[in-house]
Amino acid sequence: MSVRVVARIRPLLEEELDKDIIVRPDSAEPGKPNTIVKIPNPKNEAEEFSFAFNGVYDRSTSQETLFTAEVQPHLKSLFQGFDVTIFAYGVTGTGKTHTMRGGLKLAERGVIPRLLSGVFRRGKKMMRDTQGSTTVRVTLSYYEIYNDKVFDLLEPLEKRTASGLPLRAEANGRTVVCGLSERACEDLKDFEKMYIEANNNRVTAATKLNAHSSRSHAILRVKLTQTTGDTVRESTASAIDLAGSEDNRRTDNGKERLVESAAINKSLFVLSQCIDAISRGDKRIPYRESKMTRILSLGQNKGITVMILNLAPLRSYQLDTLSSLNVSSRAKRIEVREIENEVVFKQVPRTKPAPGAGVARQPLRP
Ligand code: ADP
Ligand code: MG
């Protein structure tokens, strides 16, 4: 399994144009593509932290550029039978939904509609090229994980039970969601109708549960089934718009929020542990420790995982930005750099959080 972790810095919104930009991309060597994100130390503005990624996309990056660079290359692997998983991780307001779903205009379309469009195009080409001896079927599931419970977004809200859908471990070690609906999907139009309807389902819920969408993980699963005679090849592409990674405890101490925060923090923590373990090539991936990583069998299949860290460049996000950079950048390559005297400390030791602690690694405090 391979993993790529990339950062995307969003532009300033119209109402933010007079604000300070404190997050900036950089390259490891002059002339090379950006792989580094820099942000000042909130405790000492003369000092800057650097975080390394596999790629860093600045505010001018279009939806098309991001898709072409980070997702499109994996379509081939998906058709070869590998699973592809794409996460958007970050604080609420940093562009996760923009990156995954995007706007309605063609140029503003996000990763998800572009992925589907690519899958349909490839599927049709394959059927043409094999003169129909290979058939390609696409089915969709769309669900959210809220407070560690699974809810089907393709079903109307009234059908939700308080406990959500149960999970079941299959003989092959995979975890499945019992009773999750699957819809066949013929083309992009089909998909869009279903997707908009399902998202409205989520929006309806949002009016009942304050800011619900930032507190749940939304997972779209695209199952691809290629059949040639007796041979059936199945693979899945999963696109995940994660719950906001901000520390909810700081802003709201209601009991309901605390329960939500604990569930969000735990699952994001396990996710980051899995990503770390996969990128280190570890044998043991702690995917069983949260529902989301279990359902995705993260690290258990041969496949590709792309984590996109969304960042807002503003000072008002500074602490949350630092903590999400700490969680998602490749730990081994984190450097702390003094601007003034060029001292570079490599290999910042990882601190193990206390059980149940919120964020994976505390912001660096020199
Ligand atoms: P999140 O899902 O992480 O809470 P959103 O995707 O809703 O964040 O983004 C917050 C706001 O920023 C939205 O108004 C969105 O349209 C805008 N935005 C985010 N990323 C970009 C971008 N790359 N280009 C233009 N606008 C963006
Ligand atoms: Mg969102």
Side-chain angles (χ1 to χ4, degrees):
M1 178 152 213
S2 75
V3 57
R4 266 182 77 80
V5 185
V6 302
R8 183 188 201 184
I9 306 171
R10 77 156 164 79
L12 294 182
L13 306 179
E14 222 156 86
E15 62 273 25
E16 297 169 343
L17 292 175
D18 58 335
K19 300 277 194 307
D20 256 8
I21 292 186
I22 61 159
V23 177
R24 58 190 186 88
D26 201 359
S27 60
E29 279 171 56
K32 288 266 169 70
N34 290 333
T35 50
I36 292 171
V37 172
K38 295 195 158 173
I39 181 170
N41 176 355
K43 296 244 173 90
N44 173 12
E45 289 283 323
E47 200 176 72
E48 212 173 30
F49 294 134
S50 296
F51 296 87
F53 292 87
N54 295 114
V56 174
Y57 296 91
D58 68 12
R59 60 198 148 121
S60 63
T61 307
S62 69
Q63 299 281 60
E64 186 185 1
T65 302
L66 184 80
F67 178 79
T68 308
E70 295 298 341
V71 183
Q72 182 151 286
H74 307 310
L75 275 172
K76 190 172 167 203
S77 312
L78 180 69
F79 275 79
Q80 287 168 338
F82 297 108
D83 290 343
V84 177
T85 308
I86 298 150
F87 289 100
Y89 180 99
V91 178
T92 299
T94 56
K96 294 183 297 297
T97 304
H98 178 83
T99 295
M100 299 309 276
R101 191 194 305 178
L104 292 173
K105 283 195 202 132
L106 215 56
E108 289 306 309
R109 278 185 174 166
V111 161
I112 288 171
R114 285 171 200 269
L115 173 76
L116 265 297
S117 163
V119 165
F120 289 125
R121 199 172 322 123
R122 245 177 196 276
K124 294 213 166 92
K125 183 171 184 305
M126 175 164 278
M127 293 205 260
R128 259 199 325 270
D129 290 353
T130 61
Q131 276 138 17
S133 69
T134 298
T135 58
V136 179
R137 211 173 107 85
V138 177
T139 55
L140 300 179
S141 301
Y142 190 32
Y143 58 96
E144 64 179 346
I145 303 181
Y146 173 69
N147 273 351
D148 216 35
K149 290 176 195 143
V150 180
F151 299 105
D152 196 334
L153 289 168
L154 297 180
E155 293 285 355
L157 272 179
E158 304 82 73
K159 284 188 92 178
R160 284 191 176 192
T161 57
S163 55
L165 298 171
L167 304 190
R168 190 184 65 225
E170 293 202 317
N172 59 12
R174 286 206 168 216
T175 302
V176 294
V177 181
C178 302
L180 189 64
S181 53
E182 254 181 29
R183 303 252 180 100
C185 201
E186 298 279 332
D187 54 26
L188 200 61
K189 270 221 173 76
D190 240 14
F191 163 74
E192 271 173 352
K193 189 169 165 284
M194 205 178 292
Y195 189 54
I196 289 171
E197 214 172 279
N199 282 324
N200 285 342
N201 223 348
R202 223 176 155 212
V203 174
T204 317
T207 56
K208 291 184 191 155
L209 289 164
N210 174 26
H212 177 93
S213 74
S214 68
R215 296 169 194 278
S216 74
H217 310 302
I219 304 172
L220 177 77
R221 202 189 57 176
V222 182
K223 189 161 99 189
L224 184 70
T225 312
Q226 303 168 82
T227 311
T228 315
D230 295 338
T231 324
V232 179
R233 178 185 274 173
E234 220 176 75
S235 51
T236 58
S238 306
I240 300 125
D241 187 344
L242 288 168
S245 63
E246 60 273 16
D247 189 344
N248 295 289
R249 289 166 302 184
R250 208 159 48 217
T251 47
D252 194 332
N253 292 321
K255 189 169 164 242
E256 193 178 351
R257 290 291 99 83
L258 281 175
V259 174
E260 287 174 352
S261 300
I264 294 168
N265 289 333
K266 166 130 196 277
S267 58
L268 291 178
F269 174 63
V270 173
L271 172 66
S272 76
Q273 296 283 64
C274 289
I275 300 268
D276 276 356
I278 298 165
S279 52
R280 280 196 307 264
D282 287 3
K283 283 233 165 59
R284 194 188 164 276
I285 317 284
Y287 76 102
R288 284 183 189 283
E289 286 164 34
S290 98
K291 266 195 187 137
M292 176 198 15
T293 47
R294 255 176 84 194
I295 300 170
L296 294 167
S297 305
L298 207 68
Q300 295 314 290
N301 41 16
K302 285 198 180 145
I304 294 124
T305 298
V306 182
M307 175 139 146
I308 303 168
L309 170 66
N310 287 100
L311 297 170
L314 301 167
R315 191 174 295 281
S316 53
Y317 287 78
Q318 191 167 13
L319 292 180
D320 281 324
T321 299
L322 263 171
S323 104
S324 61
L325 282 164
N326 270 312
V327 170
S328 59
S329 83
R330 312 294 280 274
K332 283 188 284 280
R333 298 189 214 152
I334 293 174
E335 298 180 345
V336 183
R337 195 177 128 100
E338 290 264 358
I339 296 174
E340 280 157 3
N341 53 16
E342 300 278 311
V343 176
V344 177
F345 304 96
K346 283 214 169 102
Q347 284 279 35
V348 172
R350 295 149 153 268
T351 45
K352 209 176 165 177
V359 190
R361 268 160 250 139
Q362 295 302 308
L364 298 173
R365 284 182 233 289

